[in-house]
Amino acid sequence: MVYATVASGKHGDPDEQLVYRDMPTPLGEMRLVASAKGLRGAWFTDQALLPSSEGWLRDESNPILEQGRRELEEWFAKDRRAFEVALDPVGTPFQHEVWRALCALDFGVLTSYGELARTVGRPKGAQAIGGAVGRNPLIIIIPCHRVIGSDTSLTGFGGGLPRKQALLAHEGNLYVSRSPRARRVCDGQAELPW
């Protein structure tokens, strides 16, 4: 995956043209948004953090959006484990550091907020990590669903716990409940389905 962006807390050039398209998925409709550099956002259309599309152009043929749509379809069909589409999310330098660490997680591999804090060199920053994970603008593609509690509890997810449970099951990690306190079915990594 190409992480095209330069870390910035700004939302880009006000004259920058963003394009978007919606796509169906097994877990509900998603909206993909792209800049000229890469995929800027991917949200389920019922997420609280879904930005307004005001000022964006709908474009069903944009090559970045088309690549993102195709790769997500392949991922849901179990024909893909990693994404290659260029990414251009907007965030602070710290958020980008966390998002890059999430991108380094392999398919089906889970991490805790504490482990992620140690990975980015902030061992006492689990709470700050949670804030950065919660602001992830590229759901599934930057795999924030792979972050769980240190006790394997499901914790939260911007797309809703039923979706997090389904995404984790898709990657071989089973939870029998959608409660934030639910723990993984086994202590070891569940056998991956393929």
Coordinates of all heavy atoms in Angstrom, one line a residue, residues 14 16 20 73 95 102 120 168 186:
P14 N -8.2 24.3 0.2 CA -9.6 24.6 0.0 C -10.1 24.4 -1.4 O -11.2 24.2 -1.7 CB -9.8 26.0 0.6 CG -8.5 26.6 0.7 CD -7.5 25.5 0.8
E16 N -8.8 22.1 -3.4 CA -8.6 20.7 -3.8 C -10.0 20.1 -4.1 O -10.9 20.2 -3.3 CB -7.9 20.0 -2.6 CG -7.7 18.5 -2.8 CD -7.1 17.8 -1.7 OE1 -7.4 18.1 -0.5 OE2 -6.2 17.0 -1.9
Y20 N -16.1 11.3 -4.8 CA -16.6 10.2 -4.0 C -17.5 9.2 -4.8 O -18.0 9.6 -5.9 CB -17.3 10.7 -2.8 CG -18.7 11.2 -3.0 CD1 -19.8 10.4 -2.7 CD2 -18.9 12.4 -3.6 CE1 -21.1 10.8 -2.9 CE2 -20.2 12.9 -3.8 CZ -21.3 12.1 -3.5 OH -22.6 12.5 -3.7
E73 N -14.0 -5.1 -2.6 CA -14.8 -6.3 -3.1 C -14.0 -7.6 -3.0 O -14.5 -8.6 -2.6 CB -15.3 -6.0 -4.5 CG -16.5 -5.1 -4.5 CD -17.1 -5.0 -5.9 OE1 -16.6 -5.6 -6.9 OE2 -18.2 -4.4 -6.0
Q95 N -1.4 10.8 14.6 CA -2.4 10.0 14.0 C -1.8 9.2 12.8 O -2.0 8.0 12.7 CB -3.6 10.8 13.5 CG -4.4 11.3 14.7 CD -5.5 12.3 14.2 OE1 -5.3 13.0 13.2 NE2 -6.6 12.4 15.0
L102 N -0.9 0.5 12.1 CA -2.0 -0.3 11.8 C -1.9 -1.0 10.5 O -2.1 -2.2 10.3 CB -3.3 0.4 11.9 CG -3.8 0.9 13.3 CD1 -5.0 1.8 13.2 CD2 -4.1 -0.4 14.1
V120 N 4.6 2.3 18.6 CA 4.9 3.7 18.1 C 5.8 4.4 19.1 O 6.0 5.6 18.9 CB 3.6 4.5 17.8 CG1 2.8 3.8 16.7 CG2 2.8 4.7 19.0
L168 N -13.6 -9.2 12.2 CA -12.7 -10.1 12.9 C -12.9 -11.5 12.5 O -12.0 -12.3 12.3 CB -12.7 -9.8 14.4 CG -12.2 -8.5 14.9 CD1 -12.4 -8.3 16.4 CD2 -10.8 -8.3 14.5
C186 N -10.7 -18.2 21.7 CA -9.6 -18.9 22.2 C -8.5 -17.9 22.5 O -8.5 -16.8 22.0 CB -9.1 -19.9 21.2 SG -8.5 -19.2 19.7

